[in-house]
Structures are given as C-alpha cells and as structure tokens.
Amino acid sequence: METTLNTPIDPKTEKQERIFQGTPVSGGVAHGFVRHVGGSFEPPSMRRIVMAKVDEELARFHQAVESTREELEKLMQGLDEDLDRHTHEILEMHVMVLEDSFVREQVENFVREGLECAESAYYRVVKNCMDSFNRMPDAYLRERALDIKDVALRVLKHLRGDDGLYDDGGASAVCIAHDLTPSETVQLDRNRVLGFAVELGSRTSHTAIVARALGLPAVVRLHGIVEALEHGDEVLLDGNEGILVLNPTADTLERYKALAAAAEAKEAKLLAGGTGPAKTTDGNRVLVGANVEFVEELPLIAECGAEGVGLFRTEFLYLEDPHASEEKLTALYSKVAAEVAPQQVIFRTLDVGGDKLVEYERELEQNPFLGWRGIRVSLALPEAFKKQLRAILRASCHGNVGIMYPMISGVAEVIEANRLLAECREELVQQGVNVCSKVQIGAMIEVPGAAAIADLLTPHVDFFSIGTNDLVQYTLAVDRVNERVSELYQQTHPGVLRLIKMVVDAAHRAKIWVGICGEMAGDVSLTPLLVGLGLDELSASSPQVAAVKHAIRKLSSKDCQGLVEKALQEGDALAIHKLAQAMAVEKYPELFPAAMVEAATGKD
C-alpha cells in the first residue's frame, strides 16, 4: 500500500515524500540511497537446436554447472569459518541443489529428445521444482524455493554469458529487490549494506534471517518498489513499522533521529531489567523462554534474559544438512544443551513436510496443508526419527533437555513416539552411553482435534506447548501467509481462545505445565489474555523476551482472569483484541507508540 504524506516538497530535491507499507521482519532504521540487487527469473527465449548440435549443447550446460560450482566453492573459501558458519552451510546446500541428479537428467532429456536449448530446458525443470516447493504448507519450506532460484540464476547467468547479476559496487546503500536470495545477500559487501527492502518474502525468509543475524533493518512485501525506485534514490527504511519512505524530508529525518534515540534508550532499559523471574503483581510466576533456530543464536539467550529455550526448531539444522550423522547431531544438540544449562532447552523433533525428506520420490499431495507433516513423517520413517531421538538423548547428559512432538492429532501418535524413544534409550544404555534418567516429553497442540482431546493426551506427556501459528490457521481454515485472507487470521478469535483454555485446564487438572511458543507469545498487546488464560510459560523470539517479561510484571493475574472471562463471552475477535490491548496500554504504556497510548487514554 502506498500513500502520500502531508508534508511539503523538499526544496532541495523538489521531489515529494512518499511512503510504502510492508511487513517488518528485522528491526531498526536505515537512511541512505537505493541500490537494486538480485537477478530476474524470467523464462529465456525458446531456441530449437538440430540433432547434430545436441552434444555441443549438453557440453555447454555441463560447463555452466561446473562454473557455478566453482563460483560457490570460491564464495565458501572467502568466508570466516566461525563468523559465517550459517552462510557457509547455506552455500553447501546450494551445491547439493546444483548437483541434483533429477534436474540434470531432466534437462538432458529435454535437450536430447525435445531438441531444446539448454537455457530453456534448465529453466523449465527448475521452475517446476520451485512451483512444487511454493505449494507446500510450511512457510519456511515455501521460502526454500528461493534456494533453487538462487542456484538457477547462477547457472542461467553462465549459460547466457552474463556476469552482471551480482554487482556490488558503490557506497553504503539500502538494497532493493523483488526477491533477494541468500547468496545474493552474501555477495554484497556487508560493510556497505544498510538494510533490505524486498517485494516478496516473510518472517521465515532467508532475507529476514540474514538481516536479523547482521543486525540490519528489513521489510518485506513492499509491493511496487522495484518499479517505483531508481538507483540513487534517497530512502529511509523503518524495520520496526514496516515502512519505506522515498525522498524523506528534513522534518522526517529529524523525527526518525529522535525516535531512534528514544528506542535505543528504551531497549537498554528493558534489557537492564530483563534478568530475574517474571512475576505478576500478585505473585504468579510465568516462565519466559526464547525460540531458537540456529546454534549461533545462543549468546542472545542470556543477553535478553530468557529463562531457557522453549522451542528449538531442529528442522533448520536438518535443512542445512539433511544427511547429518547421529554423531554430528549429537554434537550440535550437546552444544545447545550445555550453553543453555542449567535452564531447559526443548528440542522439537523434525517438523517438515515429506516432500523435503524424500525429494522427487513421491507424487505431489493434492492438499499438503492436511498431508504428510510433522510427527506423521517421523513415524513413517522410524529409522530417521530414531537417529534424531538418540542424538537428543545423548545430549541430555550435557544439560536440561526436553523433547516435544509436532503436529500431534491423536493419542496413538504420542504412544508410538514414546515407544520409539524408550527403545532408543534402552539401546543407548545397553551400549554404555550416558543419558539423563529423566527427559521431559511434550506434545505440541497445533491441531484443533488435539486440543479437544488434551485430557486424553495428558497421561502420556509431561507438558503441552501450544503452537498458535498453526492452531489459528487450522481452527479458522486460513493460510497465515496468504495475503488474500490475511484479515481472517485472527489470534483473538473466540474459537482459538476457547481451545487454548481447554488445553490449559486439561493440563492443570493433570498437574502438568503448558506453554505457548507461537508468535502470539511475543505480542505484548495480548499478554493480558495469555496470563489470564493461565499459561505457565511463554516462548518468544529473543528480541521480544525482555518486553514480555516487563509486561508480565505490570499485570495482576486476577485482573487478567477477569479479562478472559469477559473475552470468552465476546463473539468478535477485534473486540477481544481491543479489550486486551486496552489493558496492556493502561498497565505498560511505555511499550507502545505514543499515538496508540493517546488514542487509548483519550488524550489529544
């Protein structure tokens, strides 16, 4: 969405200030000039070849692949082994994509049988692969189509003899792209990158991950910016509010300078008070943990005041190295457990779709949203599942470890997973391997059916962790990354809140604890609802932890329970959100923008 600000034309540039609204994925503010980066992915011109030229055309294709491999290997050699480990693993995955035999054989077939030029054949094959990933239900996996695109751009570049896709010349700039891939980001001189603004993407995209790792602001879903902005345009990128300002006026720049100073002061104050437990004003303790994807994030745990890791997403490590040995997994999990100790780290077992695990060996599911996912994949591939379970058990002697199973829909799944876990434990004991005598076992509640039978699941687990991201979309039949129905994705829908309460009540009757690890846990405008619902633990991203703890300390459990009683009788999700937000703004106004506080209090 684009609007024109009611500000005067800058007399220096005689250009009017314009603002583009997108989705913030990495906080901070950057001011600089535009640099367009990334390559286009348009179908190449179709060119037929004669039979006598087939071998020559295939040799050209193979040479392009080999040149791409050399290019990726050169990139990896230039990285710092410690500082750039994640980037190195991304590029290793790109080499695996490049060497995929399915793609190579399909291209060779199109060239030999269809007498199609290498560019066109290669584009057709990789485009089909990308489309398959784009149809997957998991947002992170959909973004993996970018990895395929990244490699394809390089191969096509060599086939076309074009070496200009990755030019990184110039001074410091805000990088603008339609869709920025990982190694395009790597190619840029980090010392001259101020931030990222792209037309596509999500919070789980590589752009978001790399930006957060680099501490740079990033905004995605900024529709129309590639066409609207030119090289050298002056822009201001607000990664907190998801805004890009073209031709910012002196007044706008001054206003943002003041906002930046205030934000830094507020963040420093929150972090300073982030240590210690989070208790409500009437003494109710709520544990606040962090969600973690990569080993490199661990130093942030102590800095932000997190009380352990409420969700370690093991699929991120899997996607970096699908064929990692048990020894490698054990080393990684042990490192995590040791660094978080004595606090607990909860490892979620693999939560990806089956298409990623068994590439190209199964037909595309007609409805992947309701298909082979999470625990279903693990139970269908018991040896792979047991490898991961054994690695987690072996890591348990290095810290306080928990395990939770994703996408549980029935009791039988938990019983079978626990049986395999017990089998792994027995095997390790017989081998003389040390494992902790007690590892907490949990079930993720993401499916409405699981919430409805929470009382039947309690005898088989030590805790529940509610994954609100999926619970909301499954309850309301809304894809949370589909912009067409995004307004229907309502975390405060009464149906969602009633399911959460059902799970909390069942857990507490069975005397087990229950937490939330979805995005809802980090939204301080909803903290009053979560406290009132009786959640024992909230697990959010590291940058959100200090604010969530601050919010809890300002609330009364009794007041929050009263809020929930009122909310559960309300039929409108927006009205419920307003109730929660009103209490939040009243109790901790310092966490909200001044305009929101003024609107809530009626001040002009």
Side-chain angles (χ1 to χ4, degrees), residues 298-330:
L298 294 178
L300 298 175
I301 304 303
E303 292 176 14
C304 71
E307 301 169 274
V309 175
L311 167 63
F312 191 97
R313 297 182 171 102
T314 62
E315 59 272 12
F316 280 65
L317 295 178
Y318 166 81
L319 290 168
E320 292 175 353
D321 185 2
H323 306 293
S325 65
E326 181 181 322
E327 294 301 322
K328 182 176 181 179
L329 291 177
T330 299

Side-chain angles (χ1 to χ4, degrees), residues 24 37 75 121 176 180 183 212 231 292 393 429 452 490 553 557:
V37 296
L75 274 176
I176 308 295
L180 193 59
S183 70
R212 288 194 290 266
H231 277 288
V292 175
L393 287 173
V429 170
Q490 301 168 324
R553 292 169 181 148
S557 293

Side-chain angles (χ1 to χ4, degrees), residues 350-362:
L350 204 58
D351 187 19
V352 294
D355 287 302
K356 187 62 178 180
L357 281 165
V358 193
E359 290 183 41
Y360 314 122
E361 293 183 8
R362 54 194 298 274

Side-chain angles (χ1 to χ4, degrees), residues 225-236:
I225 60 170
V226 171
E227 183 177 349
L229 306 182
E230 298 180 358
H231 277 288
D233 279 345
E234 183 183 4
V235 292
L236 185 145

Side-chain angles (χ1 to χ4, degrees), residues 1-157:
M1 178 179 68
E2 178 190 339
T3 59
T4 301
L5 297 179
N6 294 320
T7 52
I9 296 176
D10 192 327
K12 295 181 180 179
T13 63
E14 296 187 352
K15 293 181 179 180
Q16 192 168 8
E17 183 175 85
R18 300 165 65 191
I19 184 168
F20 296 84
Q21 179 69 58
T23 301
V25 295
S26 184
V29 175
H31 171 227
F33 296 97
V34 164
R35 183 190 310 143
H36 285 273
V37 296
S40 62
F41 194 64
E42 300 298 326
S45 299
M46 176 60 178
R47 176 173 56 85
R48 293 293 179 185
I49 60 173
V50 297
M51 184 65 71
K53 295 289 186 179
V54 165
D55 289 341
E56 181 180 324
E57 193 71 8
L58 288 176
R60 199 166 67 87
F61 167 62
H62 294 147
Q63 181 57 53
V65 171
E66 183 58 33
S67 296
T68 302
R69 185 199 328 278
E70 293 173 358
E71 189 175 78
L72 292 170
E73 290 175 348
K74 184 177 180 180
L75 274 176
M76 287 189 284
Q77 292 170 3
L79 296 174
D80 185 284
E81 185 175 345
D82 295 320
L83 298 179
D84 299 303
R85 179 174 172 272
H86 174 55
T87 300
H88 192 281
E89 291 175 347
I90 288 175
L91 293 175
E92 285 180 334
M93 183 166 61
H94 286 189
V95 173
M96 293 173 61
V97 171
L98 180 69
E99 296 174 340
D100 189 277
S101 60
F102 173 83
V103 172
R104 185 183 67 252
E105 291 168 4
Q106 287 287 94
V107 172
E108 291 174 349
N109 182 64
F110 286 146
V111 173
R112 290 186 186 280
E113 304 297 328
L115 298 180
E116 192 172 337
C117 69
E119 295 98 318
S120 178
Y122 182 71
Y123 177 87
R124 188 144 64 101
V125 173
V126 296
K127 184 65 165 62
N128 287 336
C129 293
M130 288 169 60
D131 289 344
S132 295
F133 272 85
N134 282 325
R135 287 193 292 268
M136 289 184 181
D138 186 275
Y140 180 82
L141 291 182
R142 281 196 292 273
E143 294 292 346
R144 302 293 67 77
L146 290 182
D147 293 308
I148 301 175
K149 174 191 169 186
D150 193 0
V151 175
L153 281 171
R154 293 177 178 278
V155 174
L156 290 170
K157 175 192 69 173

Side-chain angles (χ1 to χ4, degrees), residues 378-543:
S378 295
L379 295 181
L381 301 172
E383 291 308 311
F385 188 36
K386 287 181 64 177
K387 179 176 71 172
Q388 181 178 34
L389 292 177
R390 285 169 58 92
I392 297 174
L393 287 173
R394 291 172 65 182
S396 67
C397 62
H398 296 279
N400 184 358
V401 167
I403 299 174
M404 63 181 177
Y405 310 129
M407 289 297 293
I408 292 296
S409 60
V411 175
E413 292 169 331
V414 179
I415 291 176
E416 177 61 12
N418 283 343
R419 185 189 70 78
L420 291 173
L421 181 64
E423 192 175 288
C424 290
R425 179 185 291 275
E426 180 61 27
E427 291 171 356
L428 290 170
V429 170
Q430 290 183 0
Q431 294 169 8
V433 178
N434 290 329
V435 295
C436 182
S437 60
K438 178 59 177 176
V439 174
Q440 282 199 326
I441 305 301
M444 286 200 70
I445 306 298
E446 303 163 278
V447 178
I453 61 166
D455 60 319
L456 302 180
L457 293 169
T458 55
H460 308 285
V461 296
D462 301 302
F463 67 91
F464 289 139
S465 185
I466 303 174
T468 52
N469 297 352
D470 276 327
L471 182 63
V472 173
Q473 75 170 350
Y474 281 122
T475 301
L476 306 181
V478 175
D479 179 1
R480 57 192 169 94
V481 297
N482 186 335
E483 293 186 59
R484 293 183 178 181
V485 294
S486 59
E487 75 280 359
L488 298 177
Y489 183 84
Q490 301 168 324
Q491 297 180 113
T492 54
H493 189 286
V496 174
L497 297 183
R498 290 186 179 201
L499 286 175
I500 293 175
K501 188 174 190 306
M502 187 184 300
V503 174
V504 172
D505 290 346
H508 289 171
R509 282 196 301 270
K511 301 188 185 309
I512 66 173
W513 65 269
V514 56
I516 279 184
C517 61
E519 290 298 315
M520 198 173 179
D523 187 343
V524 291
S525 70
L526 302 181
T527 305
L529 281 175
L530 302 183
V531 171
L533 284 165
L535 275 301
D536 303 298
E537 181 244 23
L538 303 178
S539 190
S541 63
S542 297

